[in-house]
Amino acid sequence: MNHPLTVYNTLSRQKENFIPLNAPFVGLYACGPTVYGDGHLGHGRSAITFDTVFRYLTYLGYKVRYVRNITDVGHLENDADEGEDKIAKKARLEQLEPMEVVQYYTKRYHGAMERLNTLPPSIEPSASGHIIEQIRMVEQIIENGYAYEVNGSVYFDVPAYAKDNEYGELSGRNLDDMLSVSRELEGTEEKRNPADFALWKKAGPQHIMRWPSPWSEGFPGWHLECSAMSSKYLGEYFDIHGGGMDLQFPHHEAEIAQSKACNHHTPAKYWLHNNMITINGKKMGKSLGNFITLDEFFTGSHQLLEQAYAPMTIRFFILQAHYRSTLDFGNEPLQAAEKGLNRIQNAWKTLLALKPSAVTNGLDLTKFKEDCHSAMNDDFNTPMLIAHFSEAVKFVNSVKAGSASISEHDLKDLQLFFDDMIGDVLGILPGNDSAGSDLSNQLMDTILKLRGEARNRKDFGTSDFIRDELKHLNIVIKDTKEGAIWEIEG
């Protein structure tokens, strides 16, 4: 590959050549979910974005340690330092133990991620499992002079930190402006400054999630977990930290400040952020009635959905936009994605069945592969990669129709490259996706077998009935010399 991998580093606000700190090893940390409710499309986008980063770095030959956390404590209502813990509130309302809530929604999250064909991370630590590491980090920050204790709670001293460091370097925010807004919108009597944030909170009498610490029985602040867990599993300075754009401030800004206050340097070399998903131009929100969970997409049970959308359609829809661009939901774009995915998957089946010729005519395979690599090396440009493969799909169909040809060597090479890039990197080929697709293939094999037995008995009524019913589902049966084949009509 002639072009090096470049990534857009949110910290420097420019594209940079990706040079691992300790090649061939790469440390990748992505912020995972707070497990107190069903995941929505935004969760899906973030997971698919960093799954693709993980997949492509692995494809390039790096040994990637991918860490994605589970937030199961310390995330209070409205992302603030006061109020009820989101998981504890769910537990109280449903009369459950908090860890029952965590277990239930973690399993649902894992199920949705499996259906979206995201690979499991190398390590998936939870905040509640790393209380000791978080306490030790708070102790070091206090010792270094950047935090203070009040009534059993510990707060990060933002103005003290800002005297020695730039607070706002990731989000581009000005501290004076933040202090001005903070004075108007929030503030607690305990804090020295409204911009300060909690590292440790003393638990009130009704707070059921609590641990002993040098300051009080309490719980860690929301921002602390990622700093503690990333440094534990990837070291104090690692390659890539990722997450949604909505986490730039305050979460990731606080992470940088905590890590610098504790370890004297930023935690990650490159910061990658996926953009938001909107619905009809508006941000998703329960108050707007446009909050759609992944399960609702899969079942079509939300009022804004015209139909159910398969997990692989959702994955393909997300990959059709660059991860840093806003992605606007709509039924028409999703239905177009469904057809586009069908075309690629059908072309894959066709490619596997093609007969080679003496020469290749109609495709410069070397240039095609270079163009695909250049797309992914340009900050993981998946829509450009898909565009290049759309041209390859046309070529495959032309070979099938007899208006183009491919040699035996190039056919094997294209099959392998198709499997690598569309299967392993994008994760959208049949057989590379979830177990549900494997089951669908097995069911279709059974249906075709039953139809074939009906034809052998000259029971053409049953045979035609099966064909016509599948046609209603956009599944086309074609009878060939080698037997019946099926494909989804694009």
Side-chain angles (χ1 to χ4, degrees), residues 389-446:
F389 265 91
S390 294
E391 294 302 311
V393 167
K394 293 178 183 178
F395 168 73
V396 168
N397 291 333
S398 295
V399 174
K400 179 182 177 183
S403 56
S405 61
I406 188 167
S407 69
E408 182 175 3
H409 176 272
D410 286 352
L411 177 59
K412 292 179 179 178
D413 197 8
L414 184 56
Q415 288 171 342
L416 179 61
F417 191 66
F418 214 109
D419 191 35
D420 283 344
M421 300 302 288
I422 300 298
D424 292 342
V425 174
L426 296 188
I428 56 173
L429 284 185
N432 291 54
D433 53 356
S434 62
S437 291
D438 292 335
L439 179 60
S440 297
N441 291 332
Q442 294 171 19
L443 289 172
M444 282 304 304
D445 289 343
T446 300

Side-chain angles (χ1 to χ4, degrees), residues 84 203-210:
E84 194 169 7
Q206 305 303 319
H207 201 100
I208 56 180
M209 301 179 76
R210 59 174 69 208

Side-chain angles (χ1 to χ4, degrees), residues 307 338 342 444 447 463-477 486-490:
Q307 63 179 74
E338 186 175 56
N342 290 340
M444 282 304 304
I447 291 170
S463 171
D464 293 345
F465 173 78
I466 294 174
R467 180 199 62 202
D468 294 342
E469 287 299 305
L470 291 174
K471 177 69 174 176
H472 292 319
L473 300 174
N474 293 327
I475 299 174
V476 178
I477 302 294
W486 64 278
E487 64 181 35
I488 300 173
E489 195 171 40

Side-chain angles (χ1 to χ4, degrees), residues 41 44-45 48 116 294 297-298 309-320 327 329 334 337 341:
L41 198 57
R45 185 177 199 187
I48 289 169
L116 289 170
L294 288 170
F297 272 104
F298 300 157
Y309 295 99
M312 286 300 96
T313 298
I314 298 295
R315 184 180 180 96
F316 187 69
F317 170 69
I318 288 171
L319 292 170
Q320 280 185 306
L327 179 59
F329 156 81
L334 270 170
L341 176 63

Side-chain angles (χ1 to χ4, degrees), residues 115-143:
R115 296 182 72 183
L116 289 170
N117 199 27
T118 65
L119 300 175
S122 311
I123 304 172
E124 191 175 51
S126 66
S128 64
H130 296 78
I131 300 297
I132 293 174
E133 289 85 353
Q134 295 179 76
I135 289 174
R136 288 174 179 166
M137 193 167 197
V138 176
E139 290 175 325
Q140 187 63 55
I141 294 172
I142 293 175
E143 184 177 328

Side-chain angles (χ1 to χ4, degrees), residues 31-33 38-50 109 113 116 118 243-247 273-279 283-285 290-295 297 314 317-318 323 327 329:
C31 288
D38 284 332
H40 54 72
L41 198 57
H43 290 147
R45 185 177 199 187
S46 186
I48 289 169
T49 293
F50 294 103
Y109 175 75
M113 293 304 102
L116 289 170
T118 65
M245 191 172 289
D246 58 326
L247 296 178
H273 292 90
N274 63 277
N275 213 322
M276 300 297 99
I277 289 181
T278 58
I279 296 181
K283 186 178 178 179
M284 279 194 300
N290 64 357
F291 185 89
I292 308 176
T293 68
L294 288 170
D295 276 347
F297 272 104
I314 298 295
F317 170 69
I318 288 171
Y323 77 90
L327 179 59
F329 156 81

